[in-house]
């Protein structure tokens, strides 16, 4: 198997594993992860934080984004055409480029 086939197989397996976790469990685990993040000294000391707006199969970040966007500048990577740019998050953002 060449490297491209191997990568495809790994991506399929990761997708299967992600799919096996219920949304309820993803939300529960996401809350734990985000709680650990917000007590880190680097996070506490930061004025600007680069994060992502989660897709359904990822660690859920929306509640965290909304919690902190008034206290810290939250920056999200956004795809525009062929470019990846950074935009400051605002709760009113409906489509952040995903």
């Amino acid at each position: 198997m060449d490297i491209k086939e191997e990568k495809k197989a790994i991506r399929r397996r990761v997708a299967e594993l992600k799919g096996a976790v219920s949304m309820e469990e993803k939300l529960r685990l996401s809350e734990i992860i985000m709680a650990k993040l917000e007590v880190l000294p680097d996070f506490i000391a930061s004025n600007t934080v680069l994060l992502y707006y989660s897709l359904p199969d990822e660690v859920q970040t929306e509640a965290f984004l909304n919690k902190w966007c008034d206290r810290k500048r939250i920056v999200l990577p956004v795809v525009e055409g062929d470019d990846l740019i950074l935009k400051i998050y605002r709760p009113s953002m409906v489509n952040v480029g995903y």
Side-chain angles (χ1 to χ4, degrees), residues 66-96:
N66 291 328
K67 177 180 180 179
W68 286 99
C69 69
D70 290 333
R71 295 180 263 177
K72 296 186 181 282
R73 181 172 44 186
I74 307 290
V75 181
L76 304 178
V78 178
V79 176
E80 286 192 358
D82 292 334
D83 298 321
L84 183 67
I85 63 168
L86 299 178
K87 287 192 175 182
I88 297 173
Y89 175 74
R90 301 280 179 252
S92 61
M93 295 172 81
V94 175
N95 183 347
V96 293

Side-chain angles (χ1 to χ4, degrees), residues 44-55:
I44 293 167
S46 296
N47 294 316
T48 301
V49 178
L50 177 63
L51 203 57
Y52 65 90
Y53 195 92
S54 53
L55 296 172

Side-chain angles (χ1 to χ4, degrees), residues 29-69:
L29 294 170
S30 295
E31 287 177 14
I32 292 168
I33 292 166
M34 295 293 107
K36 288 183 179 190
L37 174 62
E38 66 190 1
V39 297
L40 291 174
D42 286 339
F43 178 81
I44 293 167
S46 296
N47 294 316
T48 301
V49 178
L50 177 63
L51 203 57
Y52 65 90
Y53 195 92
S54 53
L55 296 172
D57 66 340
E58 298 175 325
V59 171
Q60 298 298 292
T61 60
E62 186 175 6
F64 186 85
L65 292 168
N66 291 328
K67 177 180 180 179
W68 286 99
C69 69

